[in-house]
Amino acid sequence: MNGLGNEIIVADMRGRADRVLPAAAIALNGDIATGFDQIMAIHDPRTPGTAAYVEIINSDGSRAQACGNGMRCVVHALAAESGTTSYVFETIAGILTGEARADGLISVDMGKPRTYWQDIPLSEEFYDTRKIELQIGPIDAPVLHSPSAVSMGNPHATFWVDQDVWSYALDRFGPLLENHPIFPERANISIAQVVAPDHIILRTWERGAGLTRACGTAACAALVNGVRTKRTERQATITMPGGDLIVAWREDDHVLLTGPAELEFAGRFDPATGAWSRSEQDVA
Ligand SMILES: N[C@H](CCC[C@H](N)C(=O)O)C(=O)O
């Protein structure tokens, strides 16, 4: 599947006691036919009132706490299977809800942002995480600096720029910033250009996945950080390489992410090794 070009494998692990292992993720990502950004593993529910417990694995085998585009793909897949359009899920970051809308888009309540430095987390004490001391490039003329930091369950840094987001070598700066010691759990790194109070252009280097065509939690982080720094309204269109997402930071502090999800093809794979086969009936 994909969520706005963010390549997602949705794995149905219901009724099973095993998990998708990092080795399987690395093997699947090593095959051009199954290269992906995240695996969303749907497990039996652990908490009454939830439909499933969802584990998230990046293409480098690391586990993530949240994945907005991936959650939309999970809603899309389950709705296609059962016809039910509203879901409550549990992830390691907490409870979140998703809904397949009549217009074909999918909305996911990504929960509340965490802005306190220890919740992001950062390795140093910053009491104002709207603008932390982090820069890259020449010391007297940094290329990127003073990002806003927030957690959507996973850590994000939003660097504000006023040039075209494509004029920055994010493929070079991304890994340096992702692995910077200020982020003890690494971080997702985004470059954001605010073109209107309700419109952000965004590119993301994802923790554990690299450059992706869209990143749902980064879109949420950019909107929240845009409001915190008085650059944007509480709802905006986030234009990413794969297309547009709509993000709204509601008055109840929940962040709502709306966008598409698409099925590409189905198959089966071994959750321990990543050995896979494509299903006969092509569904794309
Ligand atoms: N790479 C992210 C997880 C996936 C985020 C992204 N694909 C999304 O749609 O939110 C992390 O390790 O925190």
Side-chain angles (χ1 to χ4, degrees), residues 59-181:
S59 50
D60 71 349
S62 63
R63 293 195 182 278
Q65 303 91 333
C67 179
N69 290 324
M71 271 303 161
R72 291 201 316 278
C73 291
V74 170
V75 172
H76 181 91
L78 294 180
E81 174 190 74
S82 70
T84 304
T85 54
S86 293
Y87 293 91
V88 181
F89 298 119
E90 181 177 9
T91 69
I92 195 169
I95 302 292
L96 47 88
T97 60
E99 182 199 4
R101 301 182 350 173
D103 64 0
L105 294 180
I106 293 159
S107 285
V108 179
D109 174 349
M110 297 300 290
K112 300 179 179 181
R114 293 87 156 173
T115 58
Y116 184 57
W117 67 276
Q118 284 179 311
D119 297 333
I120 293 174
L122 300 175
S123 56
E124 292 170 41
E125 189 175 38
F126 283 99
Y127 279 102
D128 186 355
T129 57
R130 292 173 297 176
K131 189 173 185 182
I132 67 171
E133 288 162 44
L134 175 62
Q135 63 181 47
I136 198 151
I139 197 80
D140 56 348
V143 178
L144 294 170
H145 65 88
S146 315
S148 303
V150 70
S151 168
M152 287 306 303
N154 57 349
H156 286 272
T158 308
F159 286 87
W160 306 106
V161 297
D162 48 18
Q163 309 290 325
D164 175 1
V165 293
W166 292 96
S167 64
Y168 294 85
L170 189 56
D171 55 329
R172 194 153 51 88
F173 298 140
L176 300 175
L177 291 164
E178 170 193 358
N179 295 289
H180 191 283

Side-chain angles (χ1 to χ4, degrees), residues 6 8 37-38 56 58 62-72 110 154-156 186-188 206-209 212 214-218 257:
N6 202 182
I8 303 292
D37 299 324
Q38 279 80 37
I56 302 162
N58 284 313
S62 63
R63 293 195 182 278
Q65 303 91 333
C67 179
N69 290 324
M71 271 303 161
R72 291 201 316 278
M110 297 300 290
N154 57 349
H156 286 272
R186 302 190 290 166
N188 297 281
E206 284 197 35
R207 175 182 67 169
T212 62
C215 178
T217 47
L257 171 68

